[in-house]
Amino acid sequence: MRPARQEGGSAVPGDPDAHWLAAVMHATFFLLLGTSMARYLQRHGDEPRALWVIALAVVLAGLYVMGRFGDRPGHAVARPTPPRLLWLGAVVAVWMVLVALAPSFAWVAVPLFYVALRHLPPGAAYVLVAVLTGFVIVAQLQLAPRFDLDLVVGPAAVAGFATAIFAQLRRQAARQRALIDDLVRTRRELAATERREGTLAERQRLAMEIHDTLAQGLSSQQMLLQAADRVWESDPVKARAHVRTAESVAEHNLTEARRFVHDLAPADLARGGGLGEALRTLAARESGDRLTVRVHLDDGGRAPELPDRVQSALLRIAQGALANVREHSGASAATLTLTLLDDQAVLDVADDGHGFDPAALPDAPPGGRGHGLPAIRARVRQLGGTLAVESAPGEGTVLSAAIPLENPR
């Protein structure tokens, strides 16, 4: 399933560039923190407050590391949780106290810009960046022997530049997500259109076939029988000839009807190779980036010997079950297992999805129209078989359809 769009996100989930940027920012934080500590100890290591500065620097590093647990680079937080806000507030507060005691730590604010912009909505993030920038400017002025305009303009320019780049990345990520959503939606609409067009084309083909064969044959039979009835008393020989011709037409129509039934069998079976090959073809077609379908046959090589009706039903059941897996289960893997026993054929469809409560499903769909598991259950019952569904929320699903091989209904 596609991840929901996150407003104000900084990157596309799973984007390797986002992971790279996060790694650079983390390294920059500890590099600046270590450099500031070395500079402070070199110049003020003998002062009484040095122990407090060292302790605060260690606390700041510890808080920063704690914030990395559960953090997923590339996933923006549009609505930060209270624990995340508390963590961010603690980091900023410790840094401010540290800067008040040792202005050398002011430039640690640069990676904190990234933290603020990624964890807060845009408006709040910009305010916090402005506050951090103000602290940097004040700290730099405290270190300078006299007022220097560069110490005011420099930090403000760095903060503005970093914020502008981050905002641009955020907008690009949002546009990319919108484009991906549009492409997925367009692909689904195109697939639905193709299915509708295919259905209409097949209906038109069948209508033409029936009109040109069965309908014409029935019309001919009706005319021949009417003609025979008219001359039944006056010319029995001719009447019997009409009846024999009508019988021939009926035989031909029966052959055509059987051909229609054969042509309407699942296309994967019509290609030859039997049920096993059809299941493999189905598995290959259903497998993709999000779902892998495997096939296991325990048939002793007897699957092609199954009655056509049983093979068609088992393939249709597999198709319906995999459709449910794909649309509802959220599974990443599924397995089709065909087992032929002496008296029955068993098809198991197992997936590793989120599962459900089978007791909550209706035995039959409302309105008498089949879909999903009710349709599979109805198809199994038509052949005198049984259907079992084993599932629980969070534990995957196993669907097992057993069809008898003797005297199927």
Side-chain angles (χ1 to χ4, degrees), residues 85 101 114 120 128 130 175 206 259 274 335 338 391:
L85 289 175
L101 294 176
Y114 170 79
L120 293 176
L128 183 55
R175 286 195 294 267
L206 288 176
R259 182 177 67 84
T335 302
L338 175 65
S391 183

Side-chain angles (χ1 to χ4, degrees), residues 21-377:
L21 178 60
V24 170
M25 287 295 108
H26 300 336
T28 301
F29 173 84
F30 288 106
L31 177 63
L32 291 175
L33 184 65
T35 302
S36 300
M37 175 67 74
R39 182 178 185 275
Y40 177 82
L41 293 178
Q42 183 180 5
R43 298 188 179 186
H44 310 284
D46 55 347
E47 295 182 1
R49 61 179 178 177
L51 292 178
W52 287 102
V53 171
I54 295 173
L56 287 173
V58 172
V59 170
L60 180 60
L63 286 173
Y64 191 87
V65 171
M66 288 175 56
R68 304 280 64 80
F69 293 105
D71 192 15
R72 296 181 298 168
H75 290 72
V77 181
R79 293 184 177 88
T81 60
R84 179 62 63 176
L85 289 175
L86 182 62
W87 168 80
L88 182 58
V91 170
V92 173
V94 172
W95 174 82
M96 287 181 174
V97 174
L98 187 59
V99 171
L101 294 176
S104 301
F105 288 86
W107 285 109
V108 178
V110 174
L112 293 184
F113 292 164
Y114 170 79
V115 175
L117 290 168
R118 210 172 68 81
H119 288 84
L120 293 176
Y126 299 153
V127 171
L128 183 55
V129 168
V131 172
L132 296 176
T133 304
F135 262 74
V136 172
I137 293 174
V138 172
Q140 294 299 305
L141 291 176
Q142 288 179 351
L143 292 176
R146 56 185 177 80
F147 177 81
D148 189 343
L149 184 61
D150 289 343
L151 299 179
V152 177
V153 176
V158 171
F161 181 71
T163 303
I165 291 179
F166 198 91
Q168 178 63 20
L169 291 175
R170 176 179 287 165
R171 286 193 293 269
Q172 288 180 351
R175 286 195 294 267
Q176 184 179 4
R177 282 195 301 274
L179 178 61
I180 292 174
D181 290 344
D182 290 341
L183 289 175
V184 172
R185 183 169 56 253
T186 301
R187 185 175 64 180
R188 289 178 176 174
E189 292 174 353
L190 179 60
T193 300
E194 291 177 347
R195 285 195 296 270
R196 287 194 297 268
E197 291 178 350
T199 300
L200 293 175
E202 182 65 11
R203 288 177 179 175
Q204 184 178 8
R205 184 188 72 82
L206 288 176
M208 295 175 62
E209 289 274 2
I210 292 173
H211 176 270
D212 294 341
T213 55
L214 299 182
Q216 293 287 4
L218 290 172
S219 178
S220 298
Q221 291 176 57
Q222 182 183 31
M223 294 175 60
L224 289 167
L225 292 175
Q226 289 175 348
D229 182 64
R230 286 195 298 269
V231 298
W232 192 264
E233 298 292 340
S234 60
D235 193 348
V237 175
K238 189 174 183 180
R240 285 193 291 272
H242 287 325
V243 172
R244 286 194 296 270
T245 305
E247 181 183 6
S248 177
V249 173
E251 182 179 1
H252 177 72
N253 274 11
L254 180 59
T255 302
E256 289 292 340
R258 287 171 176 168
R259 182 177 67 84
F260 286 150
V261 172
H262 180 270
D263 288 346
L264 289 176
D268 292 334
L269 285 174
R271 297 189 183 98
L275 179 58
E277 187 62 29
L279 290 175
R280 292 190 183 94
T281 302
L282 173 64
R285 185 169 60 246
E286 292 292 337
S287 295
D289 295 338
R290 299 180 180 176
L291 178 65
T292 300
V293 183
R294 298 179 177 86
V295 177
H296 177 68
L297 299 180
D298 186 14
D299 61 346
R302 295 185 294 126
E305 300 174 5
L306 291 175
D308 291 343
R309 188 181 183 191
V310 174
Q311 293 192 53
S312 178
L314 289 174
L315 182 58
R316 293 301 192 197
I317 291 169
Q319 291 172 337
L322 288 180
N324 282 346
V325 171
R326 184 180 62 253
E327 296 176 7
H328 305 298
S329 74
S332 61
T335 302
L336 301 176
T337 303
L338 175 65
T339 305
L340 294 190
L341 306 176
D342 292 336
D343 59 344
Q344 64 180 352
V346 181
L347 176 67
D348 296 321
V349 183
D351 68 74
D352 62 353
H354 49 61
F356 63 96
D357 181 8
L361 291 176
D363 184 67
R369 298 185 61 186
H371 57 79
L373 282 176
I376 294 175
R377 185 177 290 112

